[in-house]
Amino acid sequence: MKSSAVVDDADPQIHALAVAAMSGNRRALARLISLVEGGGAAALQAIAALYPHTGRAQIVGVTGPPGAGKSTLVCEMARAYRQSERSVGIVAVDPSSPFSGGALLGDRIRMRELSGDPEVFIRSMATRGSLGGLARATADVTCVLDAAGYKVILVETVGAGQNEVDIGRLAHTTIVIQVPASGDEIQAIKAGMLEIADLIVVNKADLPGADVMVEVLEAMLGLQSPPADLHHVLDAVSPVTSKGSPSGSGDWRPRVIKTSALRSEGIADLIEAVAAHAQYARASGRRAAHEREYAARQLRSMLQQEMYSRFLAQIGEQEIQAAVDRIASRQEDPYSAAIRLAATCRLSAGAA
Amino acid sequence: MAEKIRVLIAKPGLDGHDRGAKVVARALRDAGMEVIYAGLRQTPEMITEAALQEDVDVIGLSILSGAHMALVPRVLGLLQEHDMSDVAVFVGGIIPDEDAAHLIAMGVKGVFGPGTPLEDVVNALRCEVVGH
Ligand code: B12
Ligand SMILES: Nc1nc2c(ncn2[C@@H]2O[C@H](COP(=O)(O)OP(=O)(O)OP(=O)(O)O)[C@@H](O)[C@H]2O)c(=O)[nH]1
Ligand SMILES: [Mg+2]
């Protein structure tokens, strides 16, 4: 992403798009999302225009292994929210191919029942090289939907193994999906995924083994003692520590909920649990702490990018190459070279 | 930064032949495009809505059922209604030559039948989007 864009001389076209999107124009909304996704100066301007109007939506993340039923469940959840008149934005992320840069985005296939409802907006996103389970711009896209007035924003991550935990930082409530599995497969449950869970769903509860899975997960979370016949399995998986709260009131215990997204069962229970978590997060200060944590992380990372690109521009490619030569020929070590070059830079934008 | 080409691939109507749509979707992905695969049994309304939300450059319709002369004009009409005539529409499947000529006259950018090399499909889409 190109940075050092000056945000204050806002492009009137982007401003107009933002105004249109916020007053319900879905075409403008779609365009803005593309702008934000594309990055660069236009994205910065769009976010600057929208940001003051954000912070109202409830962001719910849905993650879990490939094929666990994330899209199907997101569709069912959206239907439930629509029954209580809440508008729903959906961001569904699928991986980009590392070889071609292209992507096949298939989550919409499972969401056909939502079509025709003007209070639902579904957007598919490719990761474009990001590895944390979301795209770089997913958070910004939720901002756009938030500003456009969608009350609930459901974010579906790529099919996640264990390292795709970005959703835990973005979402106010994170749902981790598991499916019924055999003893061997249970050993493959990764504690890392459960650590980001505010709620755990055992989906495909219409298939055999769901109750055992619930017991195992509850045992892993320390919510109950493990079923006797599964002791050997559980010895192999590490126990999970709840992510708790930075404000020191980490007394939330993730619940385990059974659903069958296919048969539309257990959805009301799940929606209720999401509401209970949201309620807890607000009352405990967890939500406010979460927002600050997220803001701090974003600010630091933007500062890093901004300083890096300014420094790079000041130093110039020639100097960089000269330093690379010296490092490669062992005349200078990489650490000293970096410090030496950084020392020649000025921080203020000025005549960069 | 070059913007990614985004394509919606959909099968309108009750036609269950989805091999061609899937093959084309994969080829476009392998050519670096972002392909939203909407799947089977899409109504023209669903297709237009998805194209709007996904802000695609191209809509690709795969039709082997013979219903193309009923379905394609409805998609084109809805696009016009929503001020989305800048979205390029391509059609593939079993389309007799004379129908193909009619579709092109109505504004479809290209029609591709069985045996079309995937390269030709990729190139046609890319030319249409980048050429503008
Ligand atoms: C395989 C096949 C089937 C399979 C489908 C499996 C599947 N999941 O896809 C099965 C056995 C299920 C089937 C069933 C039927 N079939 Co059938 N089937 C075929 C067959 C032999 C090949 C189709 C195929 O997969 N080709 C391979 C793919 C890769 O090619 P393609 O789809 O043409 O795609 C290429 C191009 O057209 C183009 N393209 C396609 N889509 C798109 C989209 C875009 C955007 C672009 C740019 C390009 C593009 O690019 C592709 C690559 O070159 C054709 C005959 C034929 N030779 O085409 C008949 C055919 C399509 N079937 C036919 C019929 C009648 C039927 C049935 C009604 C038969 C029946 N009475 O039961 C049923 C209906 C099923 C249904 N629900 O719709 C007729 C259609 C007649 C018509 N349109 O007038 C055909 C033409 C056979 C015939 N000569 O009569 N069928
Ligand atoms: N039996 C059963 N199948 C389900 C259930 N929920 C989803 N499925 C099926 O599981 C398959 C995958 O569902 P998706 O919703 O696409 O799963 P996903 O997690 O979004 O998949 P990816 O996005 O590809 O990782 C589909 O065939 C669904 O019909 C369920 O509750 N029970
Ligand atoms: Mg999915």
Side-chain angles (χ1 to χ4, degrees):
Chain A
M1 165 159 144
K2 260 182 244 124
S3 88
S4 5
V6 187
V7 176
D8 50 24
D9 86 76
D11 181 333
Q13 248 181 321
I14 293 174
H15 185 77
L17 269 183
V19 170
M22 286 190 287
S23 54
N25 181 328
R26 289 152 67 84
R27 187 97 205 274
L29 173 58
R31 278 277 148 85
L32 264 184
I33 293 177
S34 300
L35 276 184
V36 159
E37 202 182 5
L44 298 188
Q45 291 186 2
I47 292 295
L50 296 169
Y51 199 77
H53 307 278
T54 62
R56 288 172 297 185
Q58 183 186 0
I59 303 178
V60 180
V62 177
T63 189
K70 297 180 291 297
S71 303
T72 314
L73 191 71
V74 161
C75 178
E76 288 304 312
M77 290 177 73
R79 284 185 348 131
Y81 283 120
R82 290 300 299 130
Q83 266 161 25
S84 55
E85 304 283 301
R86 302 228 272 161
S87 56
V88 181
I90 296 173
V91 186
V93 187
D94 272 324
S96 297
S97 155
F99 305 107
S100 70
L104 202 49
L105 311 171
D107 295 319
R108 272 192 102 91
I109 300 174
R110 312 274 171 224
M111 303 185 187
R112 16 177 322 130
E113 291 191 53
L114 299 172
S115 68
D117 185 342
E119 299 292 316
V120 175
F121 194 99
I122 307 171
R123 183 65 176 234
S124 312
M125 270 187 105
T127 53
R128 298 191 180 177
S130 288
L131 297 176
L134 300 175
R136 179 194 55 76
T138 300
D140 292 337
V141 170
T142 63
C143 266
V144 181
L145 289 167
D146 184 349
Y150 290 91
K151 297 281 181 284
V152 180
I153 300 173
L154 301 171
V155 180
E156 175 185 343
T157 73
V158 304
Q162 56 176 324
N163 297 319
E164 295 87 350
V165 294
D166 281 359
I167 189 66
R169 302 196 182 101
L170 172 64
H172 301 135
T173 300
T174 300
I175 299 170
V176 173
I177 302 189
Q178 299 289 338
V179 290
S182 67
D184 288 349
E185 290 161 335
I186 287 169
Q187 295 197 18
I189 299 172
K190 294 296 188 284
M193 285 312 294
L194 298 187
E195 270 165 28
I196 64 164
D198 297 308
L199 297 169
I200 295 170
V201 161
V202 176
N203 189 41
K204 307 200 183 185
D206 52 287
L207 301 180
D211 289 325
V212 176
M213 193 64 184
V214 170
E215 284 179 26
V216 166
L217 288 165
E218 288 184 338
M220 284 177 79
L221 294 162
L223 296 179
Q224 65 161 44
S225 50
D229 54 334
L230 282 168
H231 265 296
H232 65 289
V233 173
L234 283 163
D235 287 344
V237 293
S238 34
V240 176
T241 44
S242 165
K243 74 177 176 184
S245 153
S247 57
S249 54
D251 49 0
W252 175 260
R253 284 271 145 202
R255 268 187 65 197
V256 183
I257 295 155
K258 269 196 306 185
T259 64
S260 170
L262 201 61
R263 296 187 186 169
S264 196
E265 286 166 6
I267 309 301
D269 195 18
L270 175 59
I271 297 290
E272 209 177 284
V274 172
H277 178 260
Q279 165 70 26
Y280 153 82
R282 280 187 194 284
S284 64
R286 176 80 189 94
R287 164 85 183 253
H290 181 275
E291 302 267 354
R292 283 197 65 82
E293 227 176 88
Y294 190 73
R297 177 179 285 273
Q298 265 194 315
L299 178 64
R300 280 174 211 282
S301 113
M302 288 318 297
L303 270 174
Q304 215 168 35
Q305 270 182 40
E306 183 66 22
M307 289 195 348
Y308 176 67
S309 55
R310 284 188 189 186
F311 275 24
L312 219 53
Q314 288 181 44
I315 293 165
E317 191 51 31
Q318 229 178 342
E319 275 299 314
I320 299 272
Q321 287 308 325
V324 170
D325 289 340
R326 278 197 295 278
I327 297 165
S329 61
R330 301 295 189 270
Q331 287 170 270
E332 192 177 17
D333 70 275
Y335 303 100
S336 307
I339 291 169
R340 179 176 57 76
L341 289 175
T344 67
C345 296
R346 281 164 312 125
L347 269 175
S348 73
Chain B
M1 177 192 281
E3 255 189 57
K4 282 266 172 220
I5 298 177
R6 284 171 70 86
V7 185
L8 175 72
I9 297 287
K11 286 200 56 71
L14 300 173
D15 173 16
H17 296 94
D18 59 357
R19 274 194 211 158
K22 285 180 172 163
V23 164
V24 166
R26 260 181 249 124
L28 297 174
R29 176 202 56 195
D30 294 341
M33 302 181 196
E34 290 183 352
V35 182
I36 296 107
Y37 185 70
L40 296 171
R41 285 185 292 285
Q42 300 281 305
T43 64
E45 286 77 11
M46 290 162 89
I47 292 167
T48 310
E49 182 186 39
L52 184 151
Q53 293 177 352
E54 301 288 356
D55 193 25
V56 293
D57 307 290
V58 176
I59 298 174
L61 303 173
S62 181
I63 309 174
L64 287 80
S65 64
H68 47 273
M69 292 314 281
L71 293 164
V72 178
R74 281 180 59 206
V75 172
L76 293 172
L78 284 168
L79 288 176
Q80 202 151 29
E81 222 171 87
H82 287 83
D83 196 19
M84 290 170 64
S85 303
D86 56 329
V87 179
V89 177
F90 285 82
V91 179
I94 308 287
I95 317 283
D97 288 348
E98 51 182 285
D99 291 351
H102 275 112
L103 293 174
I104 299 280
M106 288 176 204
V108 169
K109 299 299 179 191
V111 177
F112 300 91
T116 310
L118 294 167
E119 258 178 77
D120 292 4
V121 172
V122 167
N123 287 336
L125 261 70
R126 190 177 276 141
C127 280
E128 179 60 31
V129 175
V130 178
H132 282 203

